[in-house]
Structure formats: C-alpha cells, structure tokens
Amino acid sequence: VQELSTVVVRSFPHSKNAYTQGLLIHNGRLFESTGLYGSSSLRQVNLHTGMVERFLPISKKYFGEGLARVNNQLIQLTWQKGIAFVYDLETFEALKPFRYEGEGWGLCHDGKHLYMSNGTSTLFRRNAYTFEKERTLTITLHGKPIHQLNELECVGEHVYANIWQTIATINETYTE
C-alpha cells in the first residue's frame, strides 16, 4: 500500500451553497454537478472568479451526482434514480439519457472507458458511448473490501477514489 500525501498548490473561489458531487476542468473551464433534492444542477463556473456562467437546474426529483466528459458530452449521474443525464458540452442541451441499475455516486473517463462508483466497494467499467457495463471491479485493501467509494478521478492509467466522509484516497491500476 502506497500512502499518498497532498500539497495545496492553488485554491479557487467557490460558492459555499453548492453541494458539489462531481467536477471536472476542461479547456480552462470548470464543470460541476451539484446535489441535494430540489437544488441539483449542472454548472459551468469561472475558475478564477467562482461565478456561475451557465446553470441548468435538475428536476427536484433527482439528486445530482458524479460528472464526466466524453468528447463533446457531459454525463451526470443521479443518486438513486438510475438515470445518467447526457448533455452537449457547449450548450447544455439534454441528449438521450442512459439508464443503469443501483445508485450512482462517482464517474470518470480515462479517454477510453467510464468508471462508475455506487457507494460500495465495487467499481463498474462502462462503455463510454453506450454506458453498457463491461466489467465489475471489487476494490480491496489487505483483502478486505473498501466500502463507500465515492467521487472518482481518472488520471492516466489510474482511477482515484475518495471514500465518503473520509480524506483517505485509493488508487488502482487497471490492465487488460
């Protein structure tokens, strides 16, 4: 087990009222999925000022979760409704959504596949274009499952996951 440490290099202003569930930076723009029933949204936020430049509220019946970019589309999970909303990156126009079973927590794209968490010790590798489940991965530490895998970040060949309500971070290398 490799212990990782963090160093804050820079910080950016951000609304304290946004319950961030997923975020990504693309071409200098911050895209964010916020959660809470009645307050969930998709946003484009100015990275330097923290001002919301584009805002799309989500229906009150959905709790927004993880967010990933695949080419010119954003994919936003919902917590317990089994729907992944798909949007045009430039316009936020709603495209055909994907359906899945179980809860949606975190989502990231490694340039080839999507990785999705559901709050358990399981990660799902999904097809980036059809959202079909391709592989199920159980994440363990010393042979014991690591539960409550939450937000995911794909960096190179690694998938990083935070564990809900902790500061622990895990990484796992996936090879075929």
Side-chain angles (χ1 to χ4, degrees):
V1 176
Q2 177 186 4
E3 187 172 318
L4 303 175
S5 62
T6 59
V7 174
V8 177
V9 176
R10 210 159 123 193
S11 63
F12 298 95
H14 185 265
S15 170
K16 292 180 181 178
N17 296 325
Y19 190 51
T20 304
Q21 296 297 311
L23 61 90
L24 61 96
I25 297 173
H26 175 65
N27 288 340
R29 298 180 294 172
L30 175 71
F31 294 92
E32 177 179 26
S33 170
T34 66
L36 297 178
Y37 288 110
S39 301
S40 294
S41 67
L42 176 66
R43 304 168 181 221
Q44 179 181 321
V45 179
N46 183 300
L47 192 57
H48 302 289
T49 66
M51 298 299 296
V52 175
E53 295 176 338
R54 275 195 291 168
F55 178 85
L56 180 67
I58 308 299
S59 170
K60 293 178 181 184
K61 67 181 179 178
Y62 298 108
F63 188 114
E65 281 284 350
L67 184 69
R69 181 185 65 83
V70 176
N71 296 326
N72 293 325
Q73 296 180 347
L74 295 170
I75 302 172
Q76 180 186 35
L77 298 177
T78 59
W79 179 32
Q80 297 181 316
K81 299 296 184 185
I83 296 173
F85 295 114
V86 181
Y87 307 97
D88 179 273
L89 176 73
E90 297 303 325
T91 65
F92 283 9
E93 175 187 348
L95 305 173
K96 185 178 179 182
F98 296 121
R99 302 240 179 230
Y100 57 89
E101 291 183 20
E103 294 185 359
W105 285 41
L107 189 67
C108 72
H109 183 240
D110 69 358
K112 186 175 180 185
H113 300 50
L114 286 164
Y115 291 89
M116 179 179 157
S117 65
N118 66 355
T120 67
S121 61
T122 302
L123 291 185
F124 301 96
R125 189 178 77 188
R126 294 184 172 276
N127 182 289
Y129 303 98
T130 66
F131 216 67
E132 292 297 317
K133 194 182 327 176
E134 296 177 336
R135 187 171 176 196
T136 301
L137 307 151
T138 300
I139 307 303
T140 61
L141 179 62
H142 305 298
K144 295 182 181 181
I146 300 175
H147 298 285
Q148 295 190 306
L149 298 177
N150 192 18
E151 176 58 13
L152 304 176
E153 298 301 329
C154 291
V155 181
E157 63 183 16
H158 298 281
V159 174
Y160 293 87
N162 86 300
I163 300 167
W164 174 243
Q165 294 186 332
T166 73
I167 58 171
T169 304
I170 63 167
N171 76 60
E172 183 69 31
T173 302
Y174 299 104
T175 57
E176 294 300 315

